[in-house]
Amino acid sequence: MKKLFILIAALFTVGTTIADEGMWLPALLKNNYEDMQRLGLKLTADQLYDINHSSLKDAVVWFNGGCTSEIISDEGLLLTNHHCGYDAIANHSTTADDILDNGFWAKSYAEEKSNPGMWISILVRMDDVSDRVNKALEGVDAKNMDAKRAEIFKQIESEATKDNGYEAMVKSMFKDNAFYVFVFEKFTDIRLVAAPPQSIGKFGGDTDNWMWPRHTADFSMFRIYANKDNKPAPYAADNVPYKPKRSLAINIKGLNEGDFTMIYGVPGRTNRYETSFGIQLAIDKINPAIVALRDVRLTSWKEEMNKSDSVRLLMSSQYAKIANYWKYYIGQTEQLKHLKVLEEKQQTEKQFTEWTKTHPEYASLLSNFENAYKDYNDYALHATYFREGVTGSSLIAFAASFTGLEKALNTDKPNADDVKKAVNAIKAAEDSFYKSFNSKSEEKILAKLTQMFYENIVASQHPEYLTQLVKKNKGDNNGETFQTISKKIFDKSFITTKAGSDKFLDSPSLKKLQADPAYAYFKAFYDNYIKNIKPHIDAFNAINNAEGKKYMKALMEMQPTKNFYPDANSTFRVTYGTVKAYDPKDGVHYNYYTTLSGVMEKEDPKSFEFQVPEKLKELYKAKDFGQYANANGDINTDFISNNDITGGNSGSPVMNGNGELVGIAFDGNWEAMSGDIYFDQKYKRTISCDIRYILFLIDKFGGATNLINEMKIVK
Ligand code: ARG
């Protein structure tokens, strides 16, 4: 322990860049450039990011708000993860044409499938606007801060997009110590081009998820379509493939341990400068609550999905989404404990307190945090129960979408336009909601979630409505009480069926809506939340933001020579490192790559998660690997490197020192699941799919040589 302390203290005060850790802003890469060269980068800094000439950034594409993708041909062909395209793939699947299970390979443009609602954005530029924002916010008091901030953001955004058809967003960095505007070109005609069967694209399922060694080909392909002028346009049959400024060449020579890897993408969220108080709360309360609440949904959904294939197809996308972060929070908690992150943070804070003796302006910082957390704890748990519990019920979540309509109806003379708008908003969401809504499982889920809320949230925070419900429906035990409550809601609510909702929406009435038990349930919990809980959360956030900003600034002052990176916030970043094996525990070594032989080893015909399609087995037996084989005559499937990624990086290009595509990132590893809060040098790895496995599948398994022919392949 002592040794650990000294080591941390040294890291903390000497303050050099630690290679591999860091999600760097592309426009500021000049500070990392020497380090990148030392590790193997062969490109100039301008080749990575340049706003006047084409550079790598032009080939990296923000995918549908939650993932990353890359352009790999001059016809706008996009590569991303299977789990990023999952929704689209599942949407196109029926029991008659089940592309989720069988795969899909478009052999011509005409076969590519459109996806209403899907969008991608290409980064045009990013600029530092800190001075302007800071000046506008100077002297603004806490009460007016949010409004003033929104105003200056909007002003900068509209200037950046004036007359150019672009979109822009101002983003805060370093906890409000800096601000950048990001300008994008956004496209909305995005068509599905290819996906392997999910037995390959999601091989290993939830069992292997967040784990190494891995054998998944987590990829799918789309294409960007533009109008005849190569500009964004809504879907139209005669739109044409987008001609990009830049596409990535693909290198199939393979990787060795120690090779340079660079990942360009859009990481969603990290919390690397979190205090020990926040970590304590996550470990003790929030993470276990999320896991327990999600368990309820997953168990009931699974029961129904196991009963029929058509139900499984309809529900599998929502199941995958909830299961992914259910397992994430289990892992995060486990590793926060195992890697003693709390203790490390506490040591760091001790050092900080020492330092404040000569910097008294920061002396009260940590105790301010500590006090804020004291009040926040129980309210934070309530907020989690509201999000994952109350609206964790699909029925209640959908009932919530009637709020706008209630507002429009709840005046002396309702405005017909407002009512119509509210009705249309609900109607627009109906199809996708009812498609995957399964009453049988949802009735059980609502019963259980309500019971958990009742038992685990302090009574003083309960809505009066809940107290009354329980009184009126008292059964022999809590389980029975809550089953009765849920059954009554499901029996009487018109929201449980599309026919019921449609009938109501044809002639909406305020009285009917307010009397609906599902809507009343939502309203009661929501009103209680807004009135009694949210003020505490807001008060906490105000302190946490203000102190967080100061804390960040102080940390930077304390380590003036350290090259800091801002937390991930869904903006473009670059991370670099090398291909690297690791030892997950004493006596165990994990290789840095896996192979197709390993897929065959893992095959288990009895498990849905470990099926291997017949055709893949034939190719394997015949060793029909073409130009994609490794030196041993096998296929490399996945590999690991010590790059610093998180959710949102899914689908990101992994590039070699020449900026050529060698893989796509798709996951993190179990031993470093605490990575969003703390980057552990020893364990943290990025899991990527080897580009040779992907090309082999497109070419030999899918027979889509048309796609291979579009690509620039470096042999
Ligand atoms: N853990 C991956 C990520 O968040 C998603 C993997 C999807 N696969 C799955 N079995 N759920 O990027």
Side-chain angles (χ1 to χ4, degrees), residues 129-174:
V129 292
S130 308
D131 290 346
R132 224 179 126 186
V133 173
N134 287 331
K135 206 156 156 233
L137 299 183
E138 222 170 66
V140 175
D141 56 19
K143 203 169 82 235
N144 297 314
M145 188 52 98
D146 284 354
K148 198 69 201 165
R149 197 180 144 106
E151 186 187 310
I152 181 70
F153 279 21
K154 208 169 158 203
Q155 205 171 45
I156 294 171
E157 286 160 1
S158 63
E159 280 167 30
T161 53
K162 195 162 178 285
D163 300 330
N164 56 20
Y166 294 150
E167 300 209 345
M169 56 187 200
V170 174
K171 287 283 207 168
S172 153
M173 302 283 167
F174 297 114

Side-chain angles (χ1 to χ4, degrees), residues 66-67 81-84 86 201-211 214 216 218 319-321 323-325 327-328 609 645-651 665-668 673:
C67 282
N81 284 155
H82 187 268
H83 74 264
C84 297
Y86 202 93
K202 204 185 163 180
F203 184 73
D206 292 318
T207 303
D208 272 8
N209 192 18
W210 302 112
M211 301 270 191
R214 191 70 156 273
T216 314
D218 196 342
Y319 184 92
K321 219 165 75 202
N324 189 30
Y325 273 80
K327 192 166 176 187
Y328 169 94
E609 296 179 317
I645 68 159
T646 186
N649 270 118
S650 283
F666 71 94
D667 212 358
M673 287 296 286

Side-chain angles (χ1 to χ4, degrees), residues 11 27 40 192 195 224 299 307 329 367 384 392 415 524 593 612 615 669:
L11 282 179
L192 177 64
I224 309 169
T299 309
K307 285 183 195 160
Y329 282 109
S367 57
T384 302
N415 175 312
Y593 69 91
V612 179
K615 174 138 187 220
N669 59 324

Side-chain angles (χ1 to χ4, degrees), residues 43-62:
L43 304 176
T44 65
D46 283 344
Q47 287 175 308
L48 301 179
Y49 176 89
D50 190 338
I51 55 173
N52 299 313
H53 305 94
S54 89
S55 61
L56 280 188
K57 81 158 175 54
D58 299 314
V60 183
V61 175
W62 195 16

